[in-house]
Amino acid sequence: QVQLVESGGGLVQAGGSLRLSCAASGGSFSGLPVGWFRQAPGKDRDFVAAIWFGRTKYADSVRGRFTISRDNAETTVYLQMDRLKPEDTAIYYCGIGPPLTTTESDFGSWGQGTQVTVSS
């Protein structure tokens, strides 16, 4: 069973950039849809971006600033985050789910998450 490991979080000033990685430990994604979600303190885990079969989908709050992609070996999915805002501060998780969905409960195999903090 593929286990997911997120990395790349950190502290950055508003307007800065970070690139998160979601690695498939013990295997590959084999084309499975992968989604990024985030959870701010006291809030639910919300959809950020997803990629499946060459298609991508973004939450309105990040469209135009974030880019999701995957490597050719299908072992890592990236989330490039540009023009970061303080409201992007959260723990970011990746998960595997069915295509054409952005519902958190449809995804599973969550990693441990990586903290992103954006200072103003």
Side-chain angles (χ1 to χ4, degrees), residues 25-82:
S25 175
S28 71
F29 291 110
S30 300
L32 291 172
V34 175
W36 281 99
F37 289 73
R38 66 187 181 187
Q39 188 169 23
K43 296 188 176 181
D44 293 334
R45 187 155 51 184
D46 293 330
F47 171 75
V48 175
I51 185 167
W52 58 80
F53 311 128
R55 294 179 58 185
T56 58
K57 187 172 180 67
Y58 298 93
D60 290 342
S61 59
V62 307
R63 188 176 294 111
R65 300 187 298 121
F66 291 11
T67 304
I68 188 171
S69 63
R70 64 203 309 164
D71 68 347
N72 290 335
E74 293 280 344
T75 60
T76 306
V77 171
Y78 302 100
L79 185 67
Q80 176 67 41
M81 307 187 296
D82 298 318

Side-chain angles (χ1 to χ4, degrees), residues 85-108:
K85 304 176 181 180
E87 51 263 43
D88 295 318
T89 295
I91 300 175
Y92 284 69
Y93 300 88
C94 61
I96 295 174
L100 303 176
T101 180
T102 61
T103 303
E104 189 264 352
S105 59
D106 289 337
F107 285 76

